[in-house]
Amino acid sequence: MPSSGTSFNLMDRPWIPVTMLSDGSHRELSIIETFEQAGDIRSIDGDMPLQRFALSRLLVAMLYGRFGHDLDVDDWKSLYDYGAGNPSLMQAILEYCDEWRYRFDLFDDRYPFYQVAGLHTAKHETSGLERLILDVPSGEPFFTTRMGDGLQSIRAAEAARWLVTVQAYDASGIKSGAVGDPRVKGGKGYPIGVAWTGHLGGYLVEGTNLWQTLMLNYVSQDVFESGEAASVQWDDDKPVWEREPLTQQATKGFDQPVERTGDTSFFHGPATLMTWQGRRMLLVHDDETVTGVLVCNGDRLKPQNAQHHEPMTAWRRSPTQEKALKRPVVYMPRKHDPSRALWRGLPLLLATHDSGNPTGGDDFIRPYSLKWLSKACPERSIPVRLHAFGVEYGNNDAVIDATVDDTLDISLVVLTTDNPQMGQMIQDAVDKTDQGIRALRNLAANIALSEGKPTEAPQQRAAELGYSAFDGAFRQWLRGIDHDDNPETLSRDWYSQARQLLQRLGSHLAGQASPKAIVGRDVNVNGTTQHYSAALAEIWFRSRVNGIFNQTATERANHRDSANQSDNDGTNA
């Protein structure tokens, strides 16, 4: 139980790690200091990348609490342009912070921040800090940099950061059974799923400073087209500190029964989801030193059809869920693949991907944060960083297997342009890069066949080599796009770079061929005997690459025969 009289109020005490713009220094700031200095802060940091996303969402939720949900474009632009240095704007934020200050004390006896006062189990057990610190694998303490004293106690500031992060990303699995929770059986809280943000393939649009970042992710309800708006209700949306204090029991209207999965009435809106309490927690502390934690089940919520309430992820239509839930349309968050670079999925995030179909049915829906920026910033070519965050869970979602932390430095014009040629150009650039790397895989396979060896391992190594080489090149090319009025020129530039890079990679692979592969051998492929050698493999490869990377749309049409001929390049890997 909290010690009487101990206080650590997050409004006033430093706990949010930031990097400053002026000198790159690192500091810890209170919530109020963070807002006051938002124009001078480059970014929020954290003890692990996931904290950056969780803490940023917390601050965006505060903007919803203060400025509401129904700003029109002009109102939003005014907030964006004023910046945190505007006295009247800052005064409005300070008044909000003062109003809700009593709900932000980490150790308050009645309203501990993101916790439940008096939470306990029948035997009054608590867990060690391994349940609070997500980079400590449960049961495997040797796979962490935290050993010895690092797991005995932590400062209140760090505990606050982990508290927010656990509420965002906690894995599923059996939890401690809270006294008073009717769902507890045999002293255990049985799995209700991962914490809310763990369902998402999260995107944070980062600006030059923190104020820009917060505003670029603050989405007005005005984002919805008329056909959507009629069915979207954010009227009851508010961050958790504006609601009645939670108890050990699930909250009616928030805890989603299994049979009501996909029922949108449980989502309420973005501020609710950004501060969702999927766990009931209580820190164990000695004065301002935290030594343990109790983690119990909170409010169950599944992500099916939350696309109109959660703006910071993309969505995909799921026929499997439609059959399971017997619903005509079901969307699921489009999670990130830890093995796939962010730029490879960029085309689905572009404004030109929107169909404008307000009734649903599209295979993919890009994040509503990006849809809003397409509406609120249609002509801005400001530089932003698109930052992807995510978690891959394993063992029935009970453990964290991998995390995603990937960025793209890009002009906002790329994400918001409505020029269809621009969108097609980006799509072609990604698609043809993938095709080029498949051709590199084929080259590796054909060289392996030339010496009578298995092809799978060489193909895998070639793909890894290709994507590693293209990763930096593609990101640099994207970074240089600051307009949308000449996609042909941009396309020609990338095709030239890609062709040259692939030819160098192909020469490298061919140059490593063994003497046996140089001589070659006859291979039976689909009933036809054909001679394979390293030299032939490289000729086929170069022909294929030239067919893929024709310079322009006009030239692509003129070279269609060449592209078709290049399909006959030995094995099709």
Side-chain angles (χ1 to χ4, degrees):
M1 291 290 293
S3 302
S4 177
T6 302
S7 175
F8 191 91
N9 198 297
L10 305 182
M11 289 293 188
D12 309 308
R13 300 290 295 275
W15 69 289
I16 300 176
V18 301
T19 298
M20 305 305 294
L21 267 173
S22 60
D23 57 5
S25 62
H26 301 284
R27 303 180 187 176
E28 279 188 1
L29 302 177
S30 68
I31 289 176
I32 289 177
E33 289 172 331
T34 300
F35 276 114
E36 287 178 331
Q37 301 178 45
D40 301 317
I41 295 171
R42 177 183 298 163
S43 64
I44 289 177
D45 299 323
D47 303 291
M48 69 183 302
L50 294 179
Q51 278 191 5
R52 188 173 191 166
F53 193 53
L55 295 176
S56 297
R57 283 168 63 86
L58 174 73
L59 296 178
V60 174
M62 296 187 72
L63 295 184
Y64 278 110
R66 178 57 189 88
F67 299 110
H69 304 76
D70 56 355
L71 281 73
D72 61 27
V73 168
D74 289 338
D75 291 336
W76 183 91
K77 283 184 176 178
S78 294
L79 286 178
Y80 179 92
D81 291 336
Y82 285 158
N86 180 273
S88 60
L89 188 154
M90 196 63 239
Q91 183 60 33
I93 293 176
L94 291 177
E95 289 174 357
Y96 180 82
C97 291
D98 188 59
E99 179 182 3
W100 297 104
R101 181 187 306 273
Y102 75 103
R103 295 294 297 271
F104 281 79
D105 195 321
L106 200 62
F107 303 132
D108 189 81
D109 290 332
R110 298 177 62 192
Y111 312 117
F113 175 77
Y114 264 42
Q115 301 163 78
V116 173
L119 189 73
H120 65 281
T121 67
K123 297 182 179 179
H124 293 275
E125 311 108 322
T126 59
S127 300
L129 292 177
E130 70 278 358
R131 279 295 291 116
L132 183 66
I133 302 172
L134 292 186
D135 65 351
V136 177
S138 181
E140 299 183 26
F142 296 106
F143 294 93
T144 177
T145 57
R146 291 178 181 268
M147 294 296 294
D149 292 342
L151 283 175
Q152 298 303 311
S153 64
I154 56 176
R155 298 179 301 119
E158 184 181 358
R161 298 193 292 269
W162 285 118
L163 181 66
V164 174
T165 308
V166 169
Q167 286 286 16
Y169 283 109
D170 191 39
S172 188
I174 295 176
K175 309 298 177 186
S176 299
V179 171
D181 181 357
R183 299 170 295 178
V184 171
K185 296 179 181 179
K188 297 179 180 179
Y190 285 90
I192 62 171
V194 304
W196 174 256
T197 314
H199 290 294
L200 312 181
Y203 291 101
L204 185 70
V205 184
E206 298 177 349
T208 303
N209 58 53
L210 180 59
W211 180 254
Q212 288 186 4
T213 296
L214 298 180
M215 287 301 303
L216 291 170
N217 296 277
Y218 174 33
V219 179
S220 168
Q221 194 166 356
D222 198 34
V223 67
F224 300 116
E225 304 295 335
S226 57
E228 295 175 298
S231 61
V232 179
Q233 298 296 324
W234 287 3
D235 297 341
D236 186 41
D237 182 44
K238 60 183 71 173
V240 66
W241 51 82
E242 293 189 26
R243 299 187 184 277
E244 289 297 314
L246 299 177
T247 70
Q248 66 273 23
Q249 298 186 21
T251 308
K252 185 177 180 181
F254 291 79
D255 184 60
Q256 186 183 57
V258 174
E259 64 274 13
R260 296 184 67 179
T261 299
D263 184 339
T264 60
S265 66
F266 290 89
F267 300 126
H268 301 280
T272 301
L273 297 180
M274 290 175 182
T275 59
W276 190 264
Q277 304 289 287
R279 304 292 181 259
R280 299 294 186 261
M281 300 177 65
L282 188 63
L283 298 175
V284 180
H285 66 100
D286 180 9
D287 196 30
E288 293 185 6
T289 299
V290 174
T291 57
V293 66
L294 176 60
V295 182
C296 306
N297 280 329
D299 297 321
R300 175 192 183 274
L301 189 66
K302 297 296 182 180
Q304 287 88 336
N305 283 340
Q307 66 271 17
H308 290 138
H309 303 271
E310 175 52 71
M312 298 176 75
T313 187
W315 299 84
R316 60 175 178 83
R317 189 171 177 181
S318 173
T320 301
Q321 289 294 317
E322 290 169 1
K323 292 178 182 178
L325 299 179
K326 296 181 173 59
R327 291 176 177 266
V329 178
V330 175
Y331 284 99
M332 294 290 290
R334 186 170 175 264
K335 299 194 71 173
H336 303 304
D337 181 349
S339 66
R340 187 178 174 90
L342 175 57
W343 59 265
R344 296 178 64 192
L346 181 61
L348 289 176
L349 300 178
L350 305 183
T352 51
H353 183 76
D354 288 337
S355 70
N357 179 7
T359 60
D362 296 328
D363 288 338
F364 296 98
I365 300 175
R366 69 192 190 113
Y368 274 88
S369 58
L370 300 184
K371 286 175 176 279
W372 173 247
L373 295 180
S374 295
K375 184 173 185 176
C377 301
E379 299 177 357
R380 297 195 179 197
S381 58
I382 60 174
V384 298
R385 172 169 288 178
L386 185 64
H387 203 149
F389 299 89
V391 167
E392 184 177 81
Y393 297 94
N395 191 20
N396 294 319
D397 289 340
V399 296
I400 293 177
D401 275 353
T403 62
V404 173
D405 172 31
D406 197 357
T407 62
L408 275 180
D409 291 322
I410 197 170
S411 170
L412 193 58
V413 71
V414 176
L415 297 171
T416 61
T417 178
D418 58 2
N419 182 347
Q421 292 181 336
M422 182 74 166
Q424 188 61 52
M425 184 272 294
I426 297 290
Q427 179 75 64
D428 287 346
V430 172
D431 288 348
K432 290 184 179 298
T433 299
D434 285 336
Q435 291 174 36
I437 293 175
R438 283 199 295 272
L440 192 69
R441 285 170 51 93
N442 279 359
L443 170 61
N446 291 337
I447 292 174
L449 286 172
S450 300
E451 54 183 335
K453 289 186 176 181
T455 62
E456 184 175 348
Q459 285 178 316
Q460 180 63 31
R461 288 194 297 270
E464 292 172 355
L465 174 67
Y467 281 117
S468 176
F470 268 92
D471 190 66
F474 199 95
R475 292 173 191 272
Q476 184 175 359
W477 173 71
L478 278 175
R479 192 179 303 123
I481 299 176
D482 59 2
H483 60 85
D484 62 355
D485 55 1
N486 197 348
E488 283 282 334
T489 300
L490 296 169
S491 178
R492 188 159 43 243
D493 176 53
W494 175 244
Y495 285 4
S496 176
Q497 292 185 52
R499 183 189 291 109
Q500 293 176 26
L501 180 53
L502 278 168
Q503 288 173 348
R504 287 199 300 271
L505 293 173
S507 296
H508 173 73
L509 289 184
Q512 292 183 324
S514 68
K516 189 174 183 180
I518 293 174
V519 173
R521 57 191 284 266
D522 290 340
V523 179
N524 187 295
V525 179
N526 298 326
T528 301
T529 299
Q530 186 172 356
H531 188 74
Y532 277 65
S533 69
L536 282 172
E538 188 173 8
I539 290 172
W540 295 331
F541 169 74
R542 287 180 176 273
S543 175
R544 178 58 175 156
V545 168
N546 288 333
I548 293 170
F549 290 101
N550 292 312
Q551 295 285 329
T552 65
T554 301
E555 290 176 33
R556 284 198 296 274
N558 294 337
H559 288 77
R560 192 168 297 152
D561 291 342
S562 174
N564 291 336
Q565 182 180 1
S566 67
D567 287 336
N568 299 317
D569 59 349
T571 186
N572 289 315

